[in-house]
Amino acid sequence: EIVLTQSPDFQSVTPKEKVTITCRASQSIGSSLHWYQQKPDQSPKLLIKYASQSFSGVPSRFSGSGSGTDFTLTINSLEAEDAATYYCHQSSSLPQSFGQGTKLEIK
Amino acid sequence: EVQLLESGGGLVQPGGSLRLSCAASGFTFSNYAMSWVRQAPGKGLEWVSAISGSGGSTFYADSVRGRFTISRDNSKNTLSLQMNSLRAEDTAVYYCAKGYYGSGQDAFHIWGQGTMVTVSS
């Protein structure tokens, strides 16, 4: 089973700041890594698929990079509406798995 | 518009059973594998099960294998999850999710609103 470890678990940031969230896989998953945003009492929303492919309708300030075992979600010029929990997800092998989540608080 | 709508959640006693449904619309349902993902209160996301577009292949997390059964009715555009021998640790919001490209191992680009399952005496 592939374990995904995100860091940090929590981050308090100010608007317009650049944010980087990392996701490390316990073994190589190629580029089968996806990122989601979840706000309280809402379903998760896909931001980035296959490590770096932006999903339709997602603001351009969200970007992803990485391959193999190390991946990064970057949010440029953070906005207040970006307050949420972010999850990575691997679909390379079964069972599929998610990272533990990174909660972003806006100061 | 592509939509997924779950139903069937509720309160059930430990050891009991519950059947969840997910009504799909806005896409050719039989062309896409579908998955169930759950989220315990205040916790992260956990993949539960997936089924191929034809229904011929099914996959489960170890935590539910042998207790849960995923199925689909392509004539009714409906995905189901039969949950037996429920435990307190199965308490969660259950989401159905659609893969982007159609395989069972894919990014989930459409999620339902979720249905809450509470296992408690």
Side-chain angles (χ1 to χ4, degrees), chain A residues 1-4 32 34 36 88-99, chain B residues 33-37 45-51 59-61 99 103-108:
Chain A
E1 177 176 341
I2 295 175
V3 175
L4 298 180
S32 296
H34 322 293
Y36 303 85
C88 57
H89 158 227
Q90 69 82 17
S91 62
S92 174
S93 66
L94 295 173
Q96 298 187 48
S97 51
F98 291 85
Chain B
M34 297 293 294
S35 295
W36 288 98
V37 176
L45 301 167
E46 180 188 13
W47 176 82
V48 173
S49 182
I51 187 169
F59 310 92
Y60 298 94
S103 79
Q105 294 178 235
D106 199 354
F108 299 133

PDB file of all heavy atoms in Angstrom, chain A residues 1-4 32 34 36 88-99, chain B residues 33-37 45-51 59-61 99 103-108:
ATOM      1  N   GLU A   1       0.847  -1.191   0.000  1.00  0.00           N
ATOM      2  CA  GLU A   1       0.000   0.000   0.000  1.00  0.00           C
ATOM      3  C   GLU A   1       0.889   1.250   0.000  1.00  0.00           C
ATOM      4  O   GLU A   1       1.856   1.333   0.749  1.00  0.00           O
ATOM      5  CB  GLU A   1      -0.904   0.008   1.228  1.00  0.00           C
ATOM      6  CG  GLU A   1      -1.766   1.248   1.361  1.00  0.00           C
ATOM      7  CD  GLU A   1      -2.718   1.174   2.548  1.00  0.00           C
ATOM      8  OE1 GLU A   1      -2.982   0.069   3.049  1.00  0.00           O
ATOM      9  OE2 GLU A   1      -3.200   2.241   2.964  1.00  0.00           O
ATOM     10  N   ILE A   2       0.536   2.209  -0.842  1.00  0.00           N
ATOM     11  CA  ILE A   2       1.323   3.442  -0.954  1.00  0.00           C
ATOM     12  C   ILE A   2       0.818   4.465   0.056  1.00  0.00           C
ATOM     13  O   ILE A   2      -0.369   4.778   0.092  1.00  0.00           O
ATOM     14  CB  ILE A   2       1.240   3.990  -2.381  1.00  0.00           C
ATOM     15  CG1 ILE A   2       1.901   3.015  -3.359  1.00  0.00           C
ATOM     16  CG2 ILE A   2       1.911   5.368  -2.465  1.00  0.00           C
ATOM     17  CD1 ILE A   2       1.771   3.388  -4.816  1.00  0.00           C
ATOM     18  N   VAL A   3       1.730   4.977   0.856  1.00  0.00           N
ATOM     19  CA  VAL A   3       1.397   5.992   1.853  1.00  0.00           C
ATOM     20  C   VAL A   3       1.828   7.355   1.314  1.00  0.00           C
ATOM     21  O   VAL A   3       2.961   7.517   0.836  1.00  0.00           O
ATOM     22  CB  VAL A   3       2.097   5.704   3.190  1.00  0.00           C
ATOM     23  CG1 VAL A   3       1.829   6.834   4.181  1.00  0.00           C
ATOM     24  CG2 VAL A   3       1.636   4.367   3.750  1.00  0.00           C
ATOM     25  N   LEU A   4       0.914   8.316   1.378  1.00  0.00           N
ATOM     26  CA  LEU A   4       1.201   9.693   0.983  1.00  0.00           C
ATOM     27  C   LEU A   4       1.325  10.552   2.230  1.00  0.00           C
ATOM     28  O   LEU A   4       0.424  10.551   3.073  1.00  0.00           O
ATOM     29  CB  LEU A   4       0.089  10.242   0.092  1.00  0.00           C
ATOM     30  CG  LEU A   4      -0.142   9.533  -1.242  1.00  0.00           C
ATOM     31  CD1 LEU A   4      -1.293  10.201  -2.011  1.00  0.00           C
ATOM     32  CD2 LEU A   4       1.114   9.535  -2.091  1.00  0.00           C
ATOM     33  N   SER A  32       0.911   9.880 -11.393  1.00  0.00           N
ATOM     34  CA  SER A  32      -0.482   9.606 -11.022  1.00  0.00           C
ATOM     35  C   SER A  32      -0.834  10.211  -9.669  1.00  0.00           C
ATOM     36  O   SER A  32      -1.276   9.527  -8.730  1.00  0.00           O
ATOM     37  CB  SER A  32      -0.733   8.087 -11.017  1.00  0.00           C
ATOM     38  OG  SER A  32      -0.570   7.561 -12.310  1.00  0.00           O
ATOM     39  N   HIS A  34      -2.802  13.567  -7.781  1.00  0.00           N
ATOM     40  CA  HIS A  34      -3.822  14.587  -8.012  1.00  0.00           C
ATOM     41  C   HIS A  34      -4.013  15.397  -6.735  1.00  0.00           C
ATOM     42  O   HIS A  34      -3.783  14.896  -5.623  1.00  0.00           O
ATOM     43  CB  HIS A  34      -5.141  13.915  -8.417  1.00  0.00           C
ATOM     44  CG  HIS A  34      -4.945  12.724  -9.311  1.00  0.00           C
ATOM     45  ND1 HIS A  34      -4.464  12.845 -10.604  1.00  0.00           N
ATOM     46  CD2 HIS A  34      -5.114  11.396  -9.084  1.00  0.00           C
ATOM     47  CE1 HIS A  34      -4.356  11.637 -11.142  1.00  0.00           C
ATOM     48  NE2 HIS A  34      -4.740  10.748 -10.232  1.00  0.00           N
ATOM     49  N   TYR A  36      -6.638  18.099  -4.485  1.00  0.00           N
ATOM     50  CA  TYR A  36      -8.014  18.527  -4.258  1.00  0.00           C
ATOM     51  C   TYR A  36      -8.050  19.619  -3.195  1.00  0.00           C
ATOM     52  O   TYR A  36      -7.200  19.661  -2.295  1.00  0.00           O
ATOM     53  CB  TYR A  36      -8.892  17.362  -3.783  1.00  0.00           C
ATOM     54  CG  TYR A  36      -8.914  16.185  -4.723  1.00  0.00           C
ATOM     55  CD1 TYR A  36      -7.927  15.210  -4.649  1.00  0.00           C
ATOM     56  CD2 TYR A  36      -9.889  16.065  -5.703  1.00  0.00           C
ATOM     57  CE1 TYR A  36      -7.922  14.125  -5.527  1.00  0.00           C
ATOM     58  CE2 TYR A  36      -9.897  14.985  -6.579  1.00  0.00           C
ATOM     59  CZ  TYR A  36      -8.907  14.026  -6.482  1.00  0.00           C
ATOM     60  OH  TYR A  36      -8.902  12.963  -7.360  1.00  0.00           O
ATOM     61  N   CYS A  88      -3.653  15.464  -1.357  1.00  0.00           N
ATOM     62  CA  CYS A  88      -3.120  14.775  -2.526  1.00  0.00           C
ATOM     63  C   CYS A  88      -3.710  13.373  -2.571  1.00  0.00           C
ATOM     64  O   CYS A  88      -4.173  12.848  -1.550  1.00  0.00           O
ATOM     65  CB  CYS A  88      -1.596  14.745  -2.529  1.00  0.00           C
ATOM     66  SG  CYS A  88      -0.815  13.985  -1.085  1.00  0.00           S
ATOM     67  N   HIS A  89      -3.690  12.767  -3.758  1.00  0.00           N
ATOM     68  CA  HIS A  89      -4.332  11.470  -4.000  1.00  0.00           C
ATOM     69  C   HIS A  89      -3.548  10.733  -5.065  1.00  0.00           C
ATOM     70  O   HIS A  89      -3.226  11.318  -6.101  1.00  0.00           O
ATOM     71  CB  HIS A  89      -5.784  11.710  -4.447  1.00  0.00           C
ATOM     72  CG  HIS A  89      -6.426  10.595  -5.213  1.00  0.00           C
ATOM     73  ND1 HIS A  89      -7.124  10.828  -6.389  1.00  0.00           N
ATOM     74  CD2 HIS A  89      -6.497   9.259  -4.988  1.00  0.00           C
ATOM     75  CE1 HIS A  89      -7.587   9.674  -6.852  1.00  0.00           C
ATOM     76  NE2 HIS A  89      -7.226   8.710  -6.014  1.00  0.00           N
ATOM     77  N   GLN A  90      -3.209   9.470  -4.808  1.00  0.00           N
ATOM     78  CA  GLN A  90      -2.505   8.684  -5.817  1.00  0.00           C
ATOM     79  C   GLN A  90      -3.440   7.626  -6.399  1.00  0.00           C
ATOM     80  O   GLN A  90      -4.157   6.938  -5.663  1.00  0.00           O
ATOM     81  CB  GLN A  90      -1.225   8.052  -5.258  1.00  0.00           C
ATOM     82  CG  GLN A  90      -1.399   6.942  -4.237  1.00  0.00           C
ATOM     83  CD  GLN A  90      -1.671   5.571  -4.842  1.00  0.00           C
ATOM     84  OE1 GLN A  90      -1.435   5.325  -6.033  1.00  0.00           O
ATOM     85  NE2 GLN A  90      -2.211   4.648  -4.027  1.00  0.00           N
ATOM     86  N   SER A  91      -3.406   7.526  -7.729  1.00  0.00           N
ATOM     87  CA  SER A  91      -4.226   6.518  -8.411  1.00  0.00           C
ATOM     88  C   SER A  91      -3.343   5.510  -9.150  1.00  0.00           C
ATOM     89  O   SER A  91      -3.822   4.761  -9.988  1.00  0.00           O
ATOM     90  CB  SER A  91      -5.183   7.194  -9.392  1.00  0.00           C
ATOM     91  OG  SER A  91      -4.446   7.895 -10.393  1.00  0.00           O
ATOM     92  N   SER A  92      -2.058   5.491  -8.805  1.00  0.00           N
ATOM     93  CA  SER A  92      -1.122   4.609  -9.502  1.00  0.00           C
ATOM     94  C   SER A  92      -1.389   3.143  -9.217  1.00  0.00           C
ATOM     95  O   SER A  92      -1.297   2.301 -10.115  1.00  0.00           O
ATOM     96  CB  SER A  92       0.314   4.966  -9.089  1.00  0.00           C
ATOM     97  OG  SER A  92       1.240   4.053  -9.645  1.00  0.00           O
ATOM     98  N   SER A  93      -1.679   2.827  -7.967  1.00  0.00           N
ATOM     99  CA  SER A  93      -1.895   1.428  -7.627  1.00  0.00           C
ATOM    100  C   SER A  93      -2.968   1.301  -6.555  1.00  0.00           C
ATOM    101  O   SER A  93      -3.218   2.247  -5.793  1.00  0.00           O
ATOM    102  CB  SER A  93      -0.596   0.781  -7.144  1.00  0.00           C
ATOM    103  OG  SER A  93      -0.175   1.347  -5.930  1.00  0.00           O
ATOM    104  N   LEU A  94      -3.596   0.136  -6.533  1.00  0.00           N
ATOM    105  CA  LEU A  94      -4.629  -0.136  -5.548  1.00  0.00           C
ATOM    106  C   LEU A  94      -4.012  -0.700  -4.273  1.00  0.00           C
ATOM    107  O   LEU A  94      -3.064  -1.492  -4.349  1.00  0.00           O
ATOM    108  CB  LEU A  94      -5.654  -1.120  -6.121  1.00  0.00           C
ATOM    109  CG  LEU A  94      -6.462  -0.595  -7.320  1.00  0.00           C
ATOM    110  CD1 LEU A  94      -7.316  -1.707  -7.894  1.00  0.00           C
ATOM    111  CD2 LEU A  94      -7.322   0.590  -6.911  1.00  0.00           C
ATOM    112  N   PRO A  95      -4.518  -0.349  -3.088  1.00  0.00           N
ATOM    113  CA  PRO A  95      -5.615   0.594  -2.915  1.00  0.00           C
ATOM    114  C   PRO A  95      -5.169   2.036  -3.161  1.00  0.00           C
ATOM    115  O   PRO A  95      -4.051   2.428  -2.796  1.00  0.00           O
ATOM    116  CB  PRO A  95      -6.004   0.402  -1.456  1.00  0.00           C
ATOM    117  CG  PRO A  95      -4.736  -0.004  -0.787  1.00  0.00           C
ATOM    118  CD  PRO A  95      -4.016  -0.851  -1.788  1.00  0.00           C
ATOM    119  N   GLN A  96      -6.049   2.808  -3.795  1.00  0.00           N
ATOM    120  CA  GLN A  96      -5.747   4.212  -3.955  1.00  0.00           C
ATOM    121  C   GLN A  96      -5.656   4.836  -2.559  1.00  0.00           C
ATOM    122  O   GLN A  96      -6.233   4.335  -1.603  1.00  0.00           O
ATOM    123  CB  GLN A  96      -6.837   4.907  -4.770  1.00  0.00           C
ATOM    124  CG  GLN A  96      -6.960   4.335  -6.176  1.00  0.00           C
ATOM    125  CD  GLN A  96      -7.914   5.107  -7.042  1.00  0.00           C
ATOM    126  OE1 GLN A  96      -7.861   6.334  -7.120  1.00  0.00           O
ATOM    127  NE2 GLN A  96      -8.809   4.408  -7.713  1.00  0.00           N
ATOM    128  N   SER A  97      -4.949   5.945  -2.454  1.00  0.00           N
ATOM    129  CA  SER A  97      -4.758   6.543  -1.137  1.00  0.00           C
ATOM    130  C   SER A  97      -4.686   8.057  -1.228  1.00  0.00           C
ATOM    131  O   SER A  97      -4.381   8.616  -2.288  1.00  0.00           O
ATOM    132  CB  SER A  97      -3.509   5.985  -0.455  1.00  0.00           C
ATOM    133  OG  SER A  97      -2.386   6.074  -1.305  1.00  0.00           O
ATOM    134  N   PHE A  98      -4.969   8.700  -0.093  1.00  0.00           N
ATOM    135  CA  PHE A  98      -4.920  10.144   0.027  1.00  0.00           C
ATOM    136  C   PHE A  98      -3.902  10.531   1.094  1.00  0.00           C
ATOM    137  O   PHE A  98      -3.646   9.768   2.041  1.00  0.00           O
ATOM    138  CB  PHE A  98      -6.294  10.679   0.461  1.00  0.00           C
ATOM    139  CG  PHE A  98      -7.376  10.561  -0.584  1.00  0.00           C
ATOM    140  CD1 PHE A  98      -8.104   9.390  -0.723  1.00  0.00           C
ATOM    141  CD2 PHE A  98      -7.662  11.627  -1.425  1.00  0.00           C
ATOM    142  CE1 PHE A  98      -9.109   9.283  -1.693  1.00  0.00           C
ATOM    143  CE2 PHE A  98      -8.663  11.527  -2.383  1.00  0.00           C
ATOM    144  CZ  PHE A  98      -9.379  10.356  -2.518  1.00  0.00           C
ATOM    145  N   GLY A  99      -3.345  11.720   0.934  1.00  0.00           N
ATOM    146  CA  GLY A  99      -2.557  12.278   2.009  1.00  0.00           C
ATOM    147  C   GLY A  99      -3.462  12.677   3.171  1.00  0.00           C
ATOM    148  O   GLY A  99      -4.693  12.694   3.038  1.00  0.00           O
TER     149      GLY A  99
ATOM    150  N   ALA B  33     -15.683   4.062 -15.047  1.00  0.00           N
ATOM    151  CA  ALA B  33     -15.575   3.449 -13.726  1.00  0.00           C
ATOM    152  C   ALA B  33     -16.034   4.464 -12.688  1.00  0.00           C
ATOM    153  O   ALA B  33     -15.961   5.669 -12.915  1.00  0.00           O
ATOM    154  CB  ALA B  33     -14.128   3.047 -13.465  1.00  0.00           C
ATOM    155  N   MET B  34     -16.516   3.947 -11.573  1.00  0.00           N
ATOM    156  CA  MET B  34     -16.993   4.801 -10.492  1.00  0.00           C
ATOM    157  C   MET B  34     -16.382   4.341  -9.174  1.00  0.00           C
ATOM    158  O   MET B  34     -16.024   3.165  -9.018  1.00  0.00           O
ATOM    159  CB  MET B  34     -18.522   4.744 -10.408  1.00  0.00           C
ATOM    160  CG  MET B  34     -19.249   5.264 -11.630  1.00  0.00           C
ATOM    161  SD  MET B  34     -19.049   7.035 -11.884  1.00  0.00           S
ATOM    162  CE  MET B  34     -19.900   7.679 -10.441  1.00  0.00           C
ATOM    163  N   SER B  35     -16.302   5.255  -8.236  1.00  0.00           N
ATOM    164  CA  SER B  35     -15.679   4.945  -6.951  1.00  0.00           C
ATOM    165  C   SER B  35     -16.501   5.488  -5.792  1.00  0.00           C
ATOM    166  O   SER B  35     -17.328   6.392  -5.968  1.00  0.00           O
ATOM    167  CB  SER B  35     -14.278   5.556  -6.881  1.00  0.00           C
ATOM    168  OG  SER B  35     -13.407   4.986  -7.822  1.00  0.00           O
ATOM    169  N   TRP B  36     -16.259   4.917  -4.632  1.00  0.00           N
ATOM    170  CA  TRP B  36     -16.773   5.442  -3.357  1.00  0.00           C
ATOM    171  C   TRP B  36     -15.569   5.874  -2.513  1.00  0.00           C
ATOM    172  O   TRP B  36     -14.575   5.136  -2.405  1.00  0.00           O
ATOM    173  CB  TRP B  36     -17.566   4.394  -2.602  1.00  0.00           C
ATOM    174  CG  TRP B  36     -18.907   4.079  -3.193  1.00  0.00           C
ATOM    175  CD1 TRP B  36     -19.213   3.029  -4.016  1.00  0.00           C
ATOM    176  CD2 TRP B  36     -20.126   4.816  -3.008  1.00  0.00           C
ATOM    177  NE1 TRP B  36     -20.544   3.063  -4.355  1.00  0.00           N
ATOM    178  CE2 TRP B  36     -21.130   4.151  -3.754  1.00  0.00           C
ATOM    179  CE3 TRP B  36     -20.479   5.962  -2.296  1.00  0.00           C
ATOM    180  CZ2 TRP B  36     -22.454   4.606  -3.796  1.00  0.00           C
ATOM    181  CZ3 TRP B  36     -21.794   6.399  -2.336  1.00  0.00           C
ATOM    182  CH2 TRP B  36     -22.767   5.733  -3.074  1.00  0.00           C
ATOM    183  N   VAL B  37     -15.682   7.062  -1.929  1.00  0.00           N
ATOM    184  CA  VAL B  37     -14.663   7.614  -1.038  1.00  0.00           C
ATOM    185  C   VAL B  37     -15.389   8.071   0.220  1.00  0.00           C
ATOM    186  O   VAL B  37     -16.481   8.634   0.123  1.00  0.00           O
ATOM    187  CB  VAL B  37     -13.929   8.807  -1.694  1.00  0.00           C
ATOM    188  CG1 VAL B  37     -12.929   9.425  -0.718  1.00  0.00           C
ATOM    189  CG2 VAL B  37     -13.228   8.372  -2.973  1.00  0.00           C
ATOM    190  N   LEU B  45      -9.707  11.962   3.790  1.00  0.00           N
ATOM    191  CA  LEU B  45     -10.409  11.166   2.797  1.00  0.00           C
ATOM    192  C   LEU B  45      -9.837   9.751   2.736  1.00  0.00           C
ATOM    193  O   LEU B  45      -8.629   9.550   2.867  1.00  0.00           O
ATOM    194  CB  LEU B  45     -10.282  11.829   1.420  1.00  0.00           C
ATOM    195  CG  LEU B  45     -10.836  13.248   1.316  1.00  0.00           C
ATOM    196  CD1 LEU B  45     -10.383  13.909   0.025  1.00  0.00           C
ATOM    197  CD2 LEU B  45     -12.346  13.241   1.409  1.00  0.00           C
ATOM    198  N   GLU B  46     -10.716   8.769   2.536  1.00  0.00           N
ATOM    199  CA  GLU B  46     -10.308   7.371   2.424  1.00  0.00           C
ATOM    200  C   GLU B  46     -11.012   6.735   1.235  1.00  0.00           C
ATOM    201  O   GLU B  46     -12.248   6.696   1.184  1.00  0.00           O
ATOM    202  CB  GLU B  46     -10.650   6.598   3.702  1.00  0.00           C
ATOM    203  CG  GLU B  46     -10.254   5.125   3.639  1.00  0.00           C
ATOM    204  CD  GLU B  46     -10.760   4.311   4.812  1.00  0.00           C
ATOM    205  OE1 GLU B  46     -11.625   4.802   5.570  1.00  0.00           O
ATOM    206  OE2 GLU B  46     -10.303   3.160   4.980  1.00  0.00           O
ATOM    207  N   TRP B  47     -10.239   6.214   0.288  1.00  0.00           N
ATOM    208  CA  TRP B  47     -10.816   5.463  -0.835  1.00  0.00           C
ATOM    209  C   TRP B  47     -11.394   4.162  -0.305  1.00  0.00           C
ATOM    210  O   TRP B  47     -10.753   3.468   0.491  1.00  0.00           O
ATOM    211  CB  TRP B  47      -9.739   5.204  -1.878  1.00  0.00           C
ATOM    212  CG  TRP B  47     -10.203   4.357  -3.020  1.00  0.00           C
ATOM    213  CD1 TRP B  47     -10.902   4.766  -4.117  1.00  0.00           C
ATOM    214  CD2 TRP B  47     -10.013   2.951  -3.171  1.00  0.00           C
ATOM    215  NE1 TRP B  47     -11.154   3.700  -4.942  1.00  0.00           N
ATOM    216  CE2 TRP B  47     -10.620   2.569  -4.382  1.00  0.00           C
ATOM    217  CE3 TRP B  47      -9.392   1.965  -2.401  1.00  0.00           C
ATOM    218  CZ2 TRP B  47     -10.623   1.266  -4.853  1.00  0.00           C
ATOM    219  CZ3 TRP B  47      -9.384   0.659  -2.858  1.00  0.00           C
ATOM    220  CH2 TRP B  47      -9.998   0.316  -4.074  1.00  0.00           C
ATOM    221  N   VAL B  48     -12.610   3.828  -0.763  1.00  0.00           N
ATOM    222  CA  VAL B  48     -13.324   2.659  -0.262  1.00  0.00           C
ATOM    223  C   VAL B  48     -13.429   1.545  -1.310  1.00  0.00           C
ATOM    224  O   VAL B  48     -13.113   0.380  -1.037  1.00  0.00           O
ATOM    225  CB  VAL B  48     -14.750   3.047   0.208  1.00  0.00           C
ATOM    226  CG1 VAL B  48     -15.572   1.811   0.561  1.00  0.00           C
ATOM    227  CG2 VAL B  48     -14.673   4.014   1.375  1.00  0.00           C
ATOM    228  N   SER B  49     -13.882   1.902  -2.505  1.00  0.00           N
ATOM    229  CA  SER B  49     -14.179   0.857  -3.490  1.00  0.00           C
ATOM    230  C   SER B  49     -14.306   1.481  -4.870  1.00  0.00           C
ATOM    231  O   SER B  49     -14.571   2.688  -5.001  1.00  0.00           O
ATOM    232  CB  SER B  49     -15.493   0.160  -3.114  1.00  0.00           C
ATOM    233  OG  SER B  49     -15.800  -0.884  -4.015  1.00  0.00           O
ATOM    234  N   ALA B  50     -14.110   0.651  -5.904  1.00  0.00           N
ATOM    235  CA  ALA B  50     -14.277   1.109  -7.282  1.00  0.00           C
ATOM    236  C   ALA B  50     -14.869  -0.031  -8.110  1.00  0.00           C
ATOM    237  O   ALA B  50     -14.726  -1.212  -7.757  1.00  0.00           O
ATOM    238  CB  ALA B  50     -12.954   1.569  -7.875  1.00  0.00           C
ATOM    239  N   ILE B  51     -15.506   0.342  -9.213  1.00  0.00           N
ATOM    240  CA  ILE B  51     -16.100  -0.635 -10.119  1.00  0.00           C
ATOM    241  C   ILE B  51     -15.899  -0.170 -11.551  1.00  0.00           C
ATOM    242  O   ILE B  51     -15.993   1.025 -11.844  1.00  0.00           O
ATOM    243  CB  ILE B  51     -17.603  -0.841  -9.795  1.00  0.00           C
ATOM    244  CG1 ILE B  51     -18.205  -1.974 -10.623  1.00  0.00           C
ATOM    245  CG2 ILE B  51     -18.382   0.462  -9.961  1.00  0.00           C
ATOM    246  CD1 ILE B  51     -19.599  -2.399 -10.145  1.00  0.00           C
ATOM    247  N   PHE B  59     -13.147  -3.480  -6.889  1.00  0.00           N
ATOM    248  CA  PHE B  59     -11.953  -3.318  -6.081  1.00  0.00           C
ATOM    249  C   PHE B  59     -12.370  -2.742  -4.729  1.00  0.00           C
ATOM    250  O   PHE B  59     -13.287  -1.919  -4.652  1.00  0.00           O
ATOM    251  CB  PHE B  59     -10.974  -2.375  -6.775  1.00  0.00           C
ATOM    252  CG  PHE B  59     -10.714  -2.727  -8.212  1.00  0.00           C
ATOM    253  CD1 PHE B  59     -11.482  -2.165  -9.219  1.00  0.00           C
ATOM    254  CD2 PHE B  59      -9.727  -3.629  -8.559  1.00  0.00           C
ATOM    255  CE1 PHE B  59     -11.272  -2.485 -10.547  1.00  0.00           C
ATOM    256  CE2 PHE B  59      -9.506  -3.962  -9.888  1.00  0.00           C
ATOM    257  CZ  PHE B  59     -10.282  -3.395 -10.875  1.00  0.00           C
ATOM    258  N   TYR B  60     -11.644  -3.164  -3.675  1.00  0.00           N
ATOM    259  CA  TYR B  60     -12.011  -2.736  -2.331  1.00  0.00           C
ATOM    260  C   TYR B  60     -10.786  -2.397  -1.494  1.00  0.00           C
ATOM    261  O   TYR B  60      -9.718  -2.988  -1.661  1.00  0.00           O
ATOM    262  CB  TYR B  60     -12.773  -3.852  -1.614  1.00  0.00           C
ATOM    263  CG  TYR B  60     -14.072  -4.228  -2.282  1.00  0.00           C
ATOM    264  CD1 TYR B  60     -14.120  -5.278  -3.187  1.00  0.00           C
ATOM    265  CD2 TYR B  60     -15.245  -3.523  -2.013  1.00  0.00           C
ATOM    266  CE1 TYR B  60     -15.315  -5.630  -3.817  1.00  0.00           C
ATOM    267  CE2 TYR B  60     -16.442  -3.863  -2.634  1.00  0.00           C
ATOM    268  CZ  TYR B  60     -16.458  -4.915  -3.539  1.00  0.00           C
ATOM    269  OH  TYR B  60     -17.638  -5.245  -4.162  1.00  0.00           O
ATOM    270  N   ALA B  61     -10.971  -1.474  -0.554  1.00  0.00           N
ATOM    271  CA  ALA B  61      -9.978  -1.249   0.483  1.00  0.00           C
ATOM    272  C   ALA B  61     -10.013  -2.433   1.438  1.00  0.00           C
ATOM    273  O   ALA B  61     -11.068  -3.070   1.631  1.00  0.00           O
ATOM    274  CB  ALA B  61     -10.282   0.046   1.236  1.00  0.00           C
ATOM    275  N   GLY B  99     -14.269   9.204 -12.299  1.00  0.00           N
ATOM    276  CA  GLY B  99     -12.926   9.405 -12.812  1.00  0.00           C
ATOM    277  C   GLY B  99     -12.924  10.258 -14.062  1.00  0.00           C
ATOM    278  O   GLY B  99     -13.865  10.244 -14.840  1.00  0.00           O
ATOM    279  N   SER B 103     -11.182   5.317 -16.305  1.00  0.00           N
ATOM    280  CA  SER B 103     -10.659   4.119 -15.666  1.00  0.00           C
ATOM    281  C   SER B 103     -10.931   4.171 -14.175  1.00  0.00           C
ATOM    282  O   SER B 103     -11.287   5.210 -13.625  1.00  0.00           O
ATOM    283  CB  SER B 103      -9.155   3.986 -15.912  1.00  0.00           C
ATOM    284  OG  SER B 103      -8.450   4.850 -15.034  1.00  0.00           O
ATOM    285  N   GLY B 104     -10.730   3.055 -13.528  1.00  0.00           N
ATOM    286  CA  GLY B 104     -10.949   3.010 -12.087  1.00  0.00           C
ATOM    287  C   GLY B 104      -9.805   3.613 -11.299  1.00  0.00           C
ATOM    288  O   GLY B 104      -9.920   3.819 -10.096  1.00  0.00           O
ATOM    289  N   GLN B 105      -8.707   3.910 -11.989  1.00  0.00           N
ATOM    290  CA  GLN B 105      -7.552   4.516 -11.322  1.00  0.00           C
ATOM    291  C   GLN B 105      -7.280   5.841 -12.007  1.00  0.00           C
ATOM    292  O   GLN B 105      -6.558   5.907 -13.002  1.00  0.00           O
ATOM    293  CB  GLN B 105      -6.348   3.570 -11.388  1.00  0.00           C
ATOM    294  CG  GLN B 105      -6.573   2.296 -10.598  1.00  0.00           C
ATOM    295  CD  GLN B 105      -5.418   1.324 -10.692  1.00  0.00           C
ATOM    296  OE1 GLN B 105      -5.583   0.168 -11.071  1.00  0.00           O
ATOM    297  NE2 GLN B 105      -4.225   1.792 -10.353  1.00  0.00           N
ATOM    298  N   ASP B 106      -7.835   6.900 -11.457  1.00  0.00           N
ATOM    299  CA  ASP B 106      -7.923   8.151 -12.191  1.00  0.00           C
ATOM    300  C   ASP B 106      -8.168   9.275 -11.199  1.00  0.00           C
ATOM    301  O   ASP B 106      -8.523   9.029 -10.036  1.00  0.00           O
ATOM    302  CB  ASP B 106      -9.104   8.038 -13.165  1.00  0.00           C
ATOM    303  CG  ASP B 106      -9.061   9.021 -14.295  1.00  0.00           C
ATOM    304  OD1 ASP B 106      -8.169   9.900 -14.299  1.00  0.00           O
ATOM    305  OD2 ASP B 106      -9.929   8.932 -15.181  1.00  0.00           O
ATOM    306  N   ALA B 107      -7.978  10.509 -11.645  1.00  0.00           N
ATOM    307  CA  ALA B 107      -8.376  11.663 -10.840  1.00  0.00           C
ATOM    308  C   ALA B 107      -9.899  11.702 -10.757  1.00  0.00           C
ATOM    309  O   ALA B 107     -10.586  11.413 -11.731  1.00  0.00           O
ATOM    310  CB  ALA B 107      -7.842  12.940 -11.477  1.00  0.00           C
ATOM    311  N   PHE B 108     -10.393  12.113  -9.594  1.00  0.00           N
ATOM    312  CA  PHE B 108     -11.850  12.216  -9.412  1.00  0.00           C
ATOM    313  C   PHE B 108     -12.258  13.655  -9.703  1.00  0.00           C
ATOM    314  O   PHE B 108     -12.007  14.554  -8.891  1.00  0.00           O
ATOM    315  CB  PHE B 108     -12.233  11.825  -7.992  1.00  0.00           C
ATOM    316  CG  PHE B 108     -11.858  10.410  -7.637  1.00  0.00           C
ATOM    317  CD1 PHE B 108     -11.227  10.131  -6.440  1.00  0.00           C
ATOM    318  CD2 PHE B 108     -12.154   9.360  -8.500  1.00  0.00           C
ATOM    319  CE1 PHE B 108     -10.888   8.829  -6.098  1.00  0.00           C
ATOM    320  CE2 PHE B 108     -11.813   8.051  -8.165  1.00  0.00           C
ATOM    321  CZ  PHE B 108     -11.171   7.791  -6.968  1.00  0.00           C
TER     322      PHE B 108
END
